[in-house]
Amino acid sequence: ITVKIFQNGQPVSAPIAVGIRGPELATLGTLATQVERVMRGIPGTRDIVNPVAVDRTTLDLGLDAGKAALLGVPPGAARRAVRLALAGEVAGRFRDLEGDSYNVVVRLPLDVRQPVSALGQIYIPSTSGGAVPLREISAPHLTSAPALIDRDRQQRSVSVAAQIAPGYLTAKVNDAVFAALAKQVKLPPGFVFVTGGEAEASQKAFGGLGPIVALTVFGILGVLVVEFGRFRETAVVAGVVPLGMVGGLVALFLTGNSLSFTAVIGFIALIGIEIKNSILLVDFTTQLRTSGLSLRAAIERAGEVRFLPVLLTSVTAIGGLLPLALSGSGLYAPLAWVVIGGLVSSTFLSRVVTPVMYLLLVRGAPETVREPVPVA
């Protein structure tokens, strides 16, 4: 029995999965045993599953092809007859009074467990029109066979999986597992370790995230340039972004979450909220300067008037995200903590950084011609 914690998001076989690729099944089984032993020694792993730990027991019919040919049994007829007797074969369809139809399967009785001696009741049709007892051309015996034969990218592969114990980060445990494998397991030529589980899913997810992030950042900068008409105010508005990034990273560290895919989505959402709050302050400062106030007076006045709306906006967003952050969801909690931590840090640090940046960057710049805006 393997206990799995239900999580939303992309389905994965297990949080930790170590794939082994190579040409030989026997060597793959030996390496899988070594990997299993190493994983059991790593803190944070539980319910380790090695699919090739125990060989599968099979019943070999032991068919004598030469004797079967002498008795007129066609090639493959014996296997077809055994499959018909044990697994059955659809002989027709049955429709009940309600219109539902069912397969009619011909096979040995289902009400009793068939022993190996039941093979003696099977007869094989011959080319002469007669029937040959299966026991005349076979010598059934038990043999061992690989429990599982998988292929990945046209190579034989085995995947050893493990669940994560409560209180441990999947990314850290995964790094510890592969670091231990690099030191303790020596791979023969032609065999490689492959990362699976959540790490593989994260790599695929982050692989297509870079262009989206770049497009988002350039789109925001383009909107700011159109809004203010100059790069100086744009730089002041965008200067608040690192302040929130620091808070988001600190929040992830304090809550024990990793930089997951949803955490990155949280950073993107955080940038939008920060930019919006910063626009409120910078644009109002520019309006005050246009109305005739000096640079320092406009900065001080804008900071006093706009601080409460920015603070209330951040507090509202934080209050709305707290239930999601405290839910403990491995998928959505990192996103909420990133936004909460970023809003806390940017809201208070921007009180100092944004006015100073505006004073240093905009001072001495030529004024943009605007209509005077009445200020209450």
Side-chain angles (χ1 to χ4, degrees):
I1 298 175
T2 301
V3 179
K4 295 183 179 180
I5 301 175
F6 175 77
Q7 291 183 348
N8 295 320
Q10 182 177 0
V12 293
S13 58
I16 304 293
V18 179
I20 314 167
R21 294 181 193 163
E24 299 176 3
L25 284 176
T27 307
L28 284 175
T30 302
L31 292 174
T33 302
Q34 297 177 11
V35 171
E36 179 185 1
R37 184 179 64 251
V38 171
M39 292 176 70
R40 292 189 184 279
I42 302 297
T45 58
R46 64 172 179 86
D47 294 335
I48 299 173
V49 177
N50 179 7
V52 296
V54 180
D55 287 342
R56 178 168 52 93
T57 301
T58 61
L59 179 64
D60 190 344
L61 293 179
L63 293 174
D64 189 338
K67 189 175 182 180
L70 292 175
L71 295 177
V73 177
R79 292 182 174 84
R80 285 195 299 270
V82 172
R83 184 170 61 251
L84 171 63
L86 300 182
E89 185 171 320
V90 177
R93 301 279 293 179
F94 170 74
R95 183 181 297 274
D96 59 14
L97 297 178
E98 297 180 357
D100 297 328
S101 60
Y102 305 92
N103 289 331
V104 178
V105 181
V106 180
R107 54 154 290 165
L108 289 176
L110 287 169
D111 56 345
V112 293
R113 179 174 296 178
Q114 301 295 337
V116 178
S117 59
L119 296 174
Q121 306 174 22
I122 299 176
Y123 289 80
I124 315 299
S126 65
T127 55
S128 61
V132 178
L134 178 63
R135 60 177 177 271
E136 295 293 333
I137 59 174
S138 67
H141 58 279
L142 297 175
T143 60
S144 61
L148 185 68
I149 301 177
D150 282 337
R151 287 186 178 271
D152 185 11
R153 292 171 177 81
Q154 300 182 353
Q155 287 187 329
R156 288 178 175 175
S157 175
V158 174
S159 180
V160 182
Q163 301 295 320
I164 295 296
Y168 288 87
L169 283 178
T170 302
K172 292 184 178 181
V173 176
N174 188 76
D175 293 341
V177 167
F178 278 91
L181 290 176
K183 296 179 181 179
Q184 302 180 29
V185 179
K186 183 178 181 181
L187 290 173
F191 291 83
V192 294
F193 286 135
V194 181
T195 304
E198 290 188 7
E200 181 184 15
S202 298
Q203 290 175 1
K204 292 180 180 179
F206 281 108
L209 192 61
I212 297 176
V213 174
L215 179 62
T216 302
V217 172
F218 281 108
I220 292 175
L221 293 178
V223 171
L224 293 178
V225 172
V226 172
E227 166 69 19
F228 294 103
R230 294 187 303 189
F231 286 99
R232 299 193 180 208
E233 282 88 346
T234 300
V236 175
V237 173
V240 75
V241 173
L243 307 180
M245 294 291 183
V246 173
L249 293 174
V250 172
L252 287 177
F253 176 77
L254 294 179
T255 56
N257 290 293
S258 61
L259 189 62
S260 61
F261 177 78
T262 52
V264 175
I265 299 299
F267 278 112
I268 296 176
L270 175 64
I271 290 175
I273 300 174
E274 289 180 302
I275 292 294
K276 186 261 299 179
N277 291 340
S278 186
I279 287 177
L280 291 175
L281 182 61
V282 174
D283 186 64
F284 188 59
T285 305
T286 304
Q287 292 181 22
L288 292 175
R289 294 187 65 199
T290 306
S291 65
L293 289 181
S294 63
L295 178 61
R296 285 184 175 271
I299 292 175
E300 294 175 0
R301 176 64 175 163
E304 294 175 359
V305 174
R306 290 303 187 195
F307 176 70
L308 185 58
V310 171
L311 178 62
L312 293 179
T313 302
S314 300
V315 170
T316 303
I318 292 172
L321 289 170
L322 270 178
L324 190 62
L326 299 176
S327 66
S329 170
L331 183 65
Y332 297 112
L335 184 151
W337 283 120
V338 163
V339 178
I340 290 174
L343 287 178
V344 170
S345 63
S346 64
T347 299
F348 292 101
L349 292 179
S350 62
R351 285 282 293 164
V352 177
V353 175
T354 301
V356 171
M357 288 185 63
Y358 193 97
L359 179 64
L360 295 177
L361 295 179
V362 182
R363 181 175 53 189
E367 291 292 338
T368 303
V369 178
R370 293 189 181 185
E371 294 293 332
V373 180
V375 179

